[in-house]
Amino acid sequence: MHLRAEAILLSVRAHGEHGAIVRALTEGDGLQPGYVRGGRSRALRPVLQPSNLVLGEWRSRTEEQLAGLTLELIHSRAPLFGEPLPAAGLQWATAVSAAVLPDGQPYPRLYSALDGVLAAIEAAPAARGWAVALVRYELLLLAELGFGLDLEHCAATGRNDDLAFVSPKSGIAVSRGGAVGYEDRLLRLPTFLTEGGAADWDDILDGLRLTLHFLQRDLLIGKGAEIIAARGRLVDRLMRAVA
């Protein structure tokens, strides 16, 4: 096995005394794990930062063997990890992608969308510029892995107007009229997901609650508390920004 490709670093885990196991997302070959010799060294630590864009070269003798990986840094986002809110956004976007994507299956739309979210965080650290993109990325993640939501028509009436909620069971939108008497059992559907445009903080937080419900139910089962903790840090820092 020999692969050379640009990739977004998603996760880094120490292995042995000096090495690291890295998971990186490529556009054409999907998520690729690899062992980086000396990955815990002072020289490689700044390179092995989740969200960095790298040129990776994977080599192994068999498809089953964990490939050895060498890396060249193309673009670093490491400076953003000194700012709490952008750092939380980068950590969550890369961690959830590493946790749910299968190895070796290409998802070019997800690669492009994730690259866009990370670039948006870098360009607008204040969050109003990237939180909407993050919600849309999470919806795309669900859809690409077979758990897409239906936000185009009402589960109760079949109509496509005045959609304001989502059923937590079916993932189908519900109109304001169709939700009468059941509002407290439904998830709020922010208008930016149906009509586009800008979003206020309440809509952004509603969007994050919506996607988290289905991510936890369908994709994050058994993935461990660390992933949910990363999401918790993100929401906590967003709430501080709102206050």
Side-chain angles (χ1 to χ4, degrees):
M1 180 266 200
H2 179 212
L3 171 65
R4 182 178 172 86
E6 289 188 8
I8 300 169
L9 288 186
L10 299 185
S11 69
V12 180
R13 177 168 57 88
H15 186 77
E17 291 187 16
H18 307 291
I21 294 177
V22 171
R23 296 168 71 79
L25 183 63
T26 69
E27 184 173 18
D29 294 275
L31 187 64
Q32 293 290 332
Y35 174 76
V36 179
R37 189 181 300 275
R40 300 172 68 184
S41 68
R42 184 175 298 178
L44 281 178
R45 232 175 286 160
V47 177
L48 297 183
Q49 177 68 61
S51 79
N52 279 356
L53 182 65
V54 298
L55 178 63
E57 188 162 6
W58 290 260
R59 291 180 181 272
S60 67
R61 293 183 178 180
T62 68
E63 293 289 340
E64 294 75 24
Q65 181 184 20
L66 179 65
L69 172 60
T70 57
L71 298 165
E72 297 176 29
L73 181 63
I74 296 175
H75 179 68
S76 174
R77 295 188 172 99
L80 288 171
F81 282 82
E83 303 178 48
L85 184 49
L90 295 175
Q91 287 168 345
W92 165 253
T94 52
V96 69
S97 302
V100 304
L101 291 177
D103 291 353
Q105 296 187 29
Y107 293 96
R109 293 179 64 204
L110 283 175
Y111 178 91
S112 178
L114 178 59
D115 187 53
V117 170
L118 300 179
I121 294 173
E122 189 173 17
R128 286 296 290 268
W130 54 262
V132 167
L134 179 61
V135 173
R136 293 189 181 280
Y137 174 70
E138 292 175 348
L139 286 175
L140 180 62
L141 199 60
L142 286 160
E144 290 284 291
L145 294 176
F147 298 98
L149 308 188
D150 182 349
L151 306 181
E152 296 184 357
H153 73 278
C154 174
T157 67
R159 296 173 60 89
N160 62 0
D161 58 324
D162 201 24
L163 302 176
F165 301 93
V166 177
S167 165
K169 293 183 178 180
S170 68
I172 302 175
V174 182
S175 67
R176 215 173 299 275
V180 172
Y182 297 91
E183 293 91 342
D184 60 344
R185 303 182 191 179
L186 303 173
L187 297 163
R188 288 182 57 82
L189 174 60
T191 55
F192 73 86
L193 291 178
T194 55
E195 300 175 13
D200 60 25
W201 281 116
D202 286 342
D203 274 355
I204 289 169
L205 293 172
D206 283 341
L208 289 168
R209 292 185 193 101
L210 173 67
T211 52
L212 181 60
H213 171 82
F214 292 101
L215 286 169
Q216 286 184 296
R217 191 191 74 175
D218 298 324
L219 295 180
L220 294 176
I221 299 169
K223 297 296 184 181
E226 186 178 332
I227 299 298
I228 302 303
R231 179 53 174 266
R233 286 192 296 271
L234 171 61
V235 173
D236 179 64
R237 289 169 184 173
L238 282 170
M239 294 293 288
R240 292 182 191 180
V242 174

